[in-house]
Amino acid sequence: MRDDAVVRVDDTVHLVSGSHTNWVIVRDGDTCTLIDTGYPGDREAVLASLARLGLAPESVAAVLVTHAHNDHIGAAEHLRVTYGTPVLMHEAEVPHARREFLDQVSVGQVLARAWRPGVLPWALHAIRSGGTAPLRVDEPRPFPVEGALDLPGRPVPLHTPGHTKGHAAYHLPALGIVITGDALVTGHPTSRAAGPQLLPGMFHADRARALGSLDVLGALDADVVLPGHGPVHRGPVGAAADRARERA
């Protein structure tokens, strides 16, 4: 793992950059909440990032999933099976995680855009990292309550559909932090833009709903954005959502 892969955002919150995808560790003493888990090929990096913070895999109180694409659930099933870690997500994402259907960009869509800068290198990396491998979570759980979850950081799930039907962001109100997954990113290998933005259109199941979810994020009281792709963004999330909407 690179020395700069684990970024301290707050005393209790770290953003970790894997192979093109981020995950977040929210610590409370000797336990933590893990939000997303990278590609299947990032499994050892996930474990190494926990170890770097002095946390054992069994100390993960729960894995929270923003959405069930392979580059975000790569180590989730391993943690569930090996350590009994619950894997939680929005109820609309549960059948997606079980692979009752697969709601993601197709090979044909990627090939049709392979001429665009960054698309082919990204696609090759995704394949090497397990982006197209058979992957599922056998026992995904919907959030047990509405509002704040009884987990380290007291994360509040927010339904932010569009990228997938059950995409969720996670607000840490006490810290002014929002983990946005792929509802709002700050960079991507297939994008020339830097800073707050939506992913390119081919990645969204419903782009109109993805645009609508920016309103949900923009209404939050937060000034730190931890995206699924790209670096930490500091500044009002409302302004970040406006910027992403302008670029869409």
Side-chain angles (χ1 to χ4, degrees):
M1 171 170 283
R2 304 187 319 271
D3 290 341
D4 62 350
V6 181
V7 176
R8 178 185 175 277
V9 181
D10 173 86
D11 287 343
T12 60
V13 181
H14 290 77
L15 179 75
V16 186
S17 298
S19 58
H20 290 181
T21 306
N22 302 330
W23 55 90
V24 176
I25 300 170
V26 183
R27 184 171 186 168
D28 183 0
D30 60 358
T31 187
C32 71
T33 302
L34 179 60
I35 302 174
D36 286 344
T37 63
Y39 277 103
D42 287 328
R43 180 195 297 179
E44 293 306 314
V46 170
L47 299 177
S49 66
L50 292 169
R52 183 172 294 187
L53 299 178
L55 295 164
E58 53 266 33
S59 71
V60 179
V63 171
L64 299 183
V65 171
T66 60
H67 63 291
H69 285 160
N70 277 24
D71 60 331
H72 291 260
I73 62 167
E77 183 69 355
H78 171 75
L79 290 168
R80 188 193 70 81
V81 171
T82 306
Y83 303 103
T85 312
V87 181
L88 307 179
M89 62 197 70
H90 189 274
E91 62 182 359
E93 200 69 4
V94 167
H96 189 204
R98 287 197 297 247
R99 291 298 184 256
E100 295 175 17
F101 60 90
L102 184 56
D103 200 4
Q104 70 178 21
V105 64
S106 68
V107 173
Q109 288 174 305
V110 172
L111 290 176
R113 294 162 177 82
W115 59 272
R116 293 183 178 178
V119 171
L120 188 56
W122 164 80
L124 293 173
H125 174 86
I127 292 169
R128 288 195 300 266
S129 300
T132 57
L135 184 68
R136 53 181 282 164
V137 179
D138 283 338
E139 296 181 12
R141 302 184 192 178
F143 304 127
V145 296
E146 293 187 6
L149 301 175
D150 187 18
L151 293 169
R154 300 284 294 170
V156 179
L158 301 160
H159 189 205
T160 48
H163 185 63
T164 65
K165 296 179 181 65
H167 190 287
Y170 297 94
H171 187 204
L172 307 178
L175 300 176
I177 294 172
V178 58
I179 297 99
T180 56
D182 286 5
L184 173 64
V185 302
T186 59
H188 192 267
T190 63
S191 171
R192 292 181 174 180
Q197 60 190 282
L198 287 180
L199 286 169
M202 68 175 175
F203 292 112
H204 297 295
D206 187 331
R207 190 164 177 82
R209 294 191 78 187
L211 281 165
S213 288
L214 291 175
D215 295 335
V216 176
L217 296 171
L220 297 174
D221 182 12
D223 55 13
V224 179
V225 173
L226 306 185
H229 303 274
V232 176
H233 176 79
R234 297 184 184 274
V237 67
D242 288 344
R243 182 63 174 140
R245 192 179 294 105
E246 291 167 2
R247 286 172 155 169

